[in-house]
Amino acid sequence: MKSAAGVYQLYIDGEFVDAAGGRSFPVYNPATEEVLAEVAEAGAADVDRAVKAARRAFDTGPWAQSTPASRAQALFKLAAKVRVELASLAEVEAINTGKPIVEAEGDIDAVAEVFEYYAGLATKIPGLVNPVSANALSLSLKEPIGVAGLIVPWNYPLLMAAWKLAPALAAGCTCVLKPAEQTPLTAMMLAQWFAEAGLPPGVVNVVNGFGESCGAPIVDHPLVDKIAFTGSTAVGKEIVKRGAETLKRVTLELGGKSPNIFFADADWEASVDGALFGIFINQGEVCSAGSRILVERSIYPKFVEAITEKAKTIRLGAPLDRETKMGPVVSKEQYDRVQKYLAIGKTEAKLALGGGRPAEFEKGWYIAPTIFYDADNSARIAREEIFGPVATVIPFDVESDAVQIANDTPYGLAAAVWSRDIFRVFRVVKQLRAGIVWVNHMQPTCVEAPWGGYKQSGSGRELGPWGIEEYLETKQVHINLNENPIGWY
Ligand code: NAI
Ligand code: MG
């Protein structure tokens, strides 16, 4: 996994190798701001090698002869290995991202679950017999799409990789995975176990590097059939444009500005808890974060006060401390981006809590849980994804206003509604323009259920049976049962 010089290498065609250009880049510990590791930096030449290895493995290698059952076995083995190594993977994930260790353990458990789920699903993808005329038999066959480029972000590094790797491999695809440059370490740990799980060389390749110099060459490469991306909406748009050149299949999981809607009749304690959990879990670095908290006017002042008081008890600390509920944000770049929005927010709304760096930390990219209130939905802090621990609280008067404000956004990833009135709940659920809607909860994510966004939050769905569909082509086969000539000429 590491070179003699201690640099984490790339994983191409079943081997750990240096980058062609011999370059490397540092990866940081966001809690200490210190360099945690050096990682080989892949460029277009390395991507080309990785893609060609994936192509060969898909076209002619043993993987091309694999069966759904044999792929299931490999995925079950990988899942088992992840479970055995859960503690070490979670520790590295926590140190590298800054997230609390308890959350990292949950992430790695979910990684194993995703591999297990798609191991089970691999053998349950039937084709169809199409009801055509009597003198023919028509089949729809499901086949792997080919080489898949998987480009993932830093907020849930190994989990986002698993959301893509597992269905891709279950379907029979081969992969070039590009972890985020901030957080490549757990993916490199996983790469150590591909061979022993029974994945032949070239089936999964891992290249580390930056967006323009390593991500873009994957998108441009003519031998890549499909791109699955999670990250910013801006890069998602770029991928669609660049991918158009070779008509890539593209699935995108992008940003959000998800509304978390509280009606006066909702359970009080659960609501206060849910508002905080929705935005402060994972330091707010969550695509589905409930970053807009919409509150019915009659409870609004009391609600702002209650969430502010309770948010004061959120314990910031070192990622490996088991009592820690919030760590630092992932990088200096993200810290600066959030700070910029804190300054903007102070001109647009009232500040109830936070608004900067907590005084007790001398080092580390820590940002205090921040609550802005009396915001208008037209404010930048209500419209733009901040991706940090920053809540924007907005009052509303009646149900129709809540729906109108909730939908007044270019995004449509997730939404949540809190109420005890089932008529109201279902009316609101039906009107929300979002791919994921929670009722009296926010954030639970189940591998069995579809995940993805409406509007500019993306296209396609991950998880569940929907997730594997995105890695499959459908082949129509028409079998003539009439032995006579066509008789046309
Ligand atoms: P990003 O979208 O730039 O990075 C995500 C991944 O895409 C990384 O692996 C990166 O190397 C790669 N990438 C970047 N440019 C690329 C290009 N031109 N072609 C191919 N791949 C490319 O996200 P970044 O800069 O880390 O964060 C910026 C903002 O994006 C955050 O503040 C947040 O709002 C949003 N974001 C959303 C995520 C989500 O889960 N939906 C995850 C991470 C970031
Ligand atoms: Mg970027």
Side-chain angles (χ1 to χ4, degrees):
M1 183 171 51
K2 285 189 197 174
S3 70
V7 175
Y8 280 80
Q9 293 170 299
L10 313 176
Y11 185 73
I12 298 177
D13 209 9
E15 285 175 33
F16 285 97
V17 294
D18 294 327
R23 287 155 65 105
S24 66
F25 62 97
V27 164
Y28 293 90
N29 174 340
T32 62
E33 304 179 26
E34 282 161 11
V35 173
L36 183 61
E38 277 289 325
V39 178
E41 182 187 337
D46 305 288
V47 167
D48 185 58
R49 259 184 86 192
V51 169
K52 284 178 175 153
R55 190 80 246 171
R56 272 195 308 278
F58 184 80
D59 291 338
T60 57
W63 189 249
Q65 308 301 322
S66 68
T67 61
S70 67
R71 297 198 293 269
Q73 285 302 322
L75 288 170
F76 275 127
K77 282 184 191 155
L78 206 50
K81 190 70 188 176
V82 168
R83 291 210 180 278
V84 168
E85 300 288 341
L86 190 144
S88 57
L89 284 164
E91 190 174 311
V92 172
E93 201 81 305
I95 292 171
N96 193 182
T97 59
K99 71 173 71 196
I101 182 69
V102 177
E103 289 184 36
E105 286 167 354
D107 294 359
I108 303 301
D109 185 66
V111 168
E113 208 174 48
V114 172
F115 284 126
E116 287 156 358
Y117 177 86
Y118 283 105
L121 195 62
T123 52
K124 295 160 197 74
I125 306 296
L128 278 179
V129 178
N130 305 308
V132 300
S133 54
N135 63 359
L137 181 64
S138 176
L139 308 177
S140 301
L141 305 184
K142 291 291 185 187
E143 298 185 345
I145 215 164
V147 175
L150 314 177
I151 302 176
V152 301
W154 43 260
N155 54 340
Y156 292 90
L158 196 60
L159 187 57
M160 290 302 100
W163 278 22
K164 295 170 175 54
L165 279 174
L169 295 173
C173 291
T174 59
C175 307
V176 176
L177 169 68
K178 194 198 94 58
E181 56 271 32
Q182 298 84 352
T183 55
L185 302 183
T186 44
M188 298 320 294
M189 291 171 74
L190 190 74
Q192 295 178 92
W193 309 320
F194 290 151
E196 74 176 81
L199 298 173
V203 171
V204 185
N205 306 274
V206 188
V207 289
N208 288 303
F210 297 90
E212 261 307 308
S213 50
C214 179
I218 302 175
V219 178
D220 292 340
H221 207 296
L223 297 181
V224 173
D225 300 286
K226 185 223 156 75
I227 297 290
F229 171 77
T230 299
S232 63
T233 295
V235 172
K237 290 176 182 177
E238 175 71 15
I239 285 175
V240 170
K241 285 186 206 151
R242 293 184 84 130
E245 198 54 46
T246 48
L247 277 180
K248 293 270 185 312
R249 275 72 174 150
V250 176
T251 48
L252 303 169
E253 207 268 76
L254 309 174
K257 198 74 198 177
S258 298
N260 200 359
I261 308 168
F262 295 91
F263 286 97
D265 68 342
D267 182 277
W268 182 259
E269 290 300 325
S271 296
V272 169
D273 231 44
L276 300 181
F277 189 79
I279 181 63
F280 295 131
I281 190 83
N282 207 50
Q283 298 74 238
E285 297 164 310
V286 182
C287 51
S288 56
S291 49
R292 287 187 298 149
I293 299 176
L294 276 44
V295 185
E296 192 168 356
R297 185 91 59 188
S298 61
I299 57 165
Y300 176 75
K302 209 174 119 208
F303 197 80
V304 172
E305 193 186 311
I307 59 174
T308 301
E309 283 313 304
K310 191 147 190 193
K312 287 179 185 165
T313 69
I314 294 174
R315 182 154 162 179
L316 272 73
L320 293 186
D321 181 343
R322 303 197 76 82
E323 301 301 314
T324 293
K325 297 287 187 197
M326 252 179 68
V329 299
V330 73
S331 64
K332 176 74 165 60
E333 185 189 0
Q334 197 59 22
Y335 177 86
D336 290 343
R337 186 178 289 136
V338 177
Q339 289 284 6
K340 183 191 85 180
Y341 278 107
L342 295 178
I344 292 169
K346 287 169 191 168
T347 69
E348 291 181 327
K350 293 183 185 138
L351 181 67
L353 184 71
R357 184 190 182 83
E360 66 266 35
F361 296 97
E362 277 173 22
K363 280 259 175 230
W365 296 307
Y366 286 90
I367 292 174
T370 295
I371 298 174
F372 287 112
Y373 68 109
D374 280 6
D376 189 87
N377 198 51
S378 61
R380 286 185 67 187
I381 56 163
R383 305 203 75 78
E384 298 174 22
E385 184 175 57
I386 300 174
F387 225 68
V390 185
T392 300
V393 191
I394 303 169
F396 68 85
D397 290 306
V398 291
E399 183 183 313
S400 57
D401 290 344
V403 171
Q404 189 274 326
I405 296 169
N407 287 339
D408 177 15
T409 167
Y411 293 115
L413 186 57
V417 51
W418 300 69
S419 168
R420 290 175 179 278
D421 176 343
I422 59 163
F423 294 96
R424 168 149 65 201
V425 164
F426 287 126
R427 278 195 305 267
V428 172
V429 163
K430 283 187 73 173
Q431 292 174 85
L432 288 169
R433 298 276 299 151
I436 302 145
V437 180
W438 290 293
V439 175
N440 295 326
H441 207 325
M442 191 164 210
Q443 304 308 354
T445 303
C446 306
V447 66
E448 301 84 358
W451 182 275
Y454 283 20
K455 300 197 271 182
Q456 293 189 32
S457 287
S459 60
R461 291 293 178 274
E462 299 191 276
L463 303 182
W466 300 268
I468 198 165
E469 275 299 322
E470 308 281 3
Y471 295 91
L472 294 167
E473 287 280 21
T474 302
K475 177 183 282 173
Q476 184 223 122
V477 183
H478 181 97
I479 304 165
N480 178 26
L481 302 180
N482 178 0
E483 294 189 37
N484 299 322
I486 298 169
W488 190 259
Y489 302 107

